[in-house]
Amino acid sequence: KARFDEDRLIERNEFVLQGERFCHVAQKGRRQSAPGLGLEVCRSPEPVRAGTARVGFTASKKVGNAVERNRVKRRLREIVRLAPEGRLRTGYDYVLIGRRAALDLSFERMAQDLERALGRVHAEPSDSNRGGRSRTAHPHSGTEQSSR
């Protein structure tokens, strides 16, 4: 019987598996969007193995049925696996959110979208927010408010 080898699948990175880590990234992280994916990133609140970033993948029922959602997540996992070493920063948690458009986009386009989203999310805040809106969490309601 074949044995599943998670280290071989994602190699340099770890999965973000527990729900509270997803919630932490959603509440504290920076976000970027692309047609086929959403990206949420924040510094990891706990220590991680040297040279690794934790990565989680999700797709809501809006994407489609279970077969379609799993296909989108498999594509996202492969894009992360093939990303150049060091592109995902050590000590960060990443959540990739699959979108319905990912079903029709080429693999190369999705890889480019991830590359652009990573570049924007790791850019200096002054560079990425020139004249734009900043999103801050409302302290009591857990919702976000936009400000100029």
Side-chain angles (χ1 to χ4, degrees):
K1 203 174 196 184
R3 186 173 172 266
F4 178 73
D5 186 1
E6 184 178 299
D7 286 339
R8 201 182 82 176
L9 180 66
I10 292 291
E11 295 172 356
R12 302 176 299 271
N13 303 304
E14 296 178 359
F15 288 112
V16 177
L17 291 176
Q18 290 139 350
E20 66 264 7
R21 289 187 188 153
F22 275 86
C23 291
H24 175 78
V25 174
Q27 289 173 355
K28 306 279 185 189
R30 298 181 70 186
R31 295 175 180 84
Q32 284 297 320
S33 293
L37 61 93
L39 175 67
E40 296 178 345
V41 180
C42 78
R43 282 203 176 272
S44 180
E46 51 201 52
V48 294
R49 194 169 31 135
T52 63
R54 287 193 303 223
V55 185
F57 306 90
T58 186
S60 75
K61 288 188 177 183
K62 290 180 187 178
V63 171
N65 62 29
V67 172
E68 293 169 321
R69 292 192 308 270
N70 288 334
R71 180 173 174 234
V72 167
K73 289 188 284 187
R74 278 194 311 271
R75 294 182 86 201
L76 291 173
R77 275 192 292 270
E78 185 65 6
I79 287 168
V80 168
R81 190 183 72 80
L82 295 174
E85 188 165 346
R87 196 60 188 116
L88 299 180
R89 294 185 181 180
T90 299
Y92 280 82
D93 289 343
Y94 296 84
V95 174
L96 278 80
I97 304 159
R99 299 231 164 94
R100 180 137 185 98
L103 292 169
D104 299 320
L105 290 174
S106 71
F107 188 81
E108 292 77 22
R109 171 65 192 274
M110 287 183 63
Q112 291 170 355
D113 286 349
L114 176 61
E115 185 66 28
R116 275 194 292 275
L118 285 168
R120 288 190 307 249
V121 83
H122 285 305
E124 292 299 317
S126 59
D127 292 342
S128 64
N129 197 28
R130 265 188 228 140
R133 293 181 177 204
S134 64
R135 293 172 58 160
T136 57
H138 188 273
H140 300 293
S141 68
T143 61
E144 292 189 357
Q145 295 179 338
S146 294
S147 62
R148 272 238 177 230

